[in-house]
Amino acid sequence: MSRITGLLAEKRPLIMGILNVTPDSFYDGGRYNSLSAAKEHALQLLQQGADIIDVGGESTRPGANPVPEQEELDRVIPVIEAIRAETDVCISVDTSTASVMEQAAKADCDAVNDVRALTRNGAMPAAAASGLHVCLMHMQGQPQTMQEQPSYIDLVEDIKSFFIDRIEACRVAGINRKLLILDPGFGFGKTPEHNLMLINRLAEFQSFGLPLLVGLSRKSTIGMITGLSDARLSGSVAGAIVAVSHGANIVRVHDVAQTSAALKVVHAIKSERLQ
């Protein structure tokens, strides 16, 4: 049984801690560029309650440009190796690049988290060969252009149609359906209203019978709601709670300690038990 399969079998919401090893990510770009800082932060996230550490070397914020392949490899692979040398925590690699998937698998990574849903050249066969879990995310357009007037005929049905196509492509490529995770792509080619609708109607994606991942941590829609830049933390935690209540199995967050504490309280209230 893989690490992620074991975690999902616990039937509780999982926390994916974000570790961006990039200079330009929208929230924490540049904080963890050095190998020592990245490893230290990963271990801190684990101590705070992260179930999965998501390591990414390419910013996918609105307007971001692609990163050269070798540069992404140089950023990501040493960090995965350093984390794995210290702990057996689940590690996912946030990448769309085939060679990064291949090298991450060799470094004992557990999952590929791909915002482009294995559409980049070579990504599908690389993911299939790796045998890793794969998170397929919906994005309308590309990071450089995705927020330029995104529109849908029917938001949820359009995204479900996308997932049907990508799940079938994975089947044809030889990826076991049991390894798939779906992410509707909060903030990726969606207006703020689209984002709110996605969370409200998240349960509709449970029809696929696959785990659902949601990442809304500190994104601009949260800031628009609160109206205060320093309120994105509390807003993000509230969003994670609502996402879990609507069916999210994994929440991808920057603020692991606060999210973990909030979800523990929710679980205690629902179960009427302290633990």
Side-chain angles (χ1 to χ4, degrees), residues 255-270:
D255 306 290
V256 169
Q258 295 87 342
T259 307
S260 177
L263 291 178
K264 285 179 180 178
V265 171
V266 171
H267 176 74
I269 293 171
K270 285 186 173 181

Side-chain angles (χ1 to χ4, degrees), residues 212-227:
L212 301 177
L213 184 151
V214 172
L216 45 73
S217 178
R218 291 187 175 267
K219 289 183 177 176
S220 60
T221 296
I222 302 297
M224 291 176 189
I225 296 168
T226 63

Side-chain angles (χ1 to χ4, degrees), residues 100-176:
V100 177
M101 297 175 191
E102 293 165 352
Q103 293 304 311
K106 291 179 181 179
D108 199 17
C109 188
D110 299 279
V112 171
N113 182 19
D114 186 1
V115 300
R116 297 176 180 84
L118 304 182
T119 58
R120 185 176 275 179
N121 187 41
M124 183 67 77
S130 74
L132 302 181
H133 285 261
V134 176
C135 182
L136 302 170
M137 196 197 79
H138 174 272
M139 173 170 56
Q140 189 178 84
Q142 294 295 321
Q144 302 97 310
T145 61
M146 63 186 180
Q147 292 308 109
E148 296 177 3
Q149 299 181 322
S151 63
Y152 298 85
I153 297 173
D154 181 310
L155 176 69
V156 172
E157 290 303 318
D158 288 359
I159 296 174
K160 289 176 75 172
S161 178
F162 170 84
F163 283 145
I164 290 170
D165 289 344
R166 298 316 296 157
I167 291 169
E168 174 61 14
C170 288
R171 185 195 67 79
V172 171
I175 298 176
N176 191 323

Side-chain angles (χ1 to χ4, degrees), residues 21 33 36 68 73 81 85 88 93 129 133 140 210 225 227 243 263:
V21 287
N33 276 356
S36 59
L73 283 164
E81 292 173 339
D88 64 352
V93 59
H133 285 261
Q140 189 178 84
L210 295 171
I225 296 168
L263 291 178

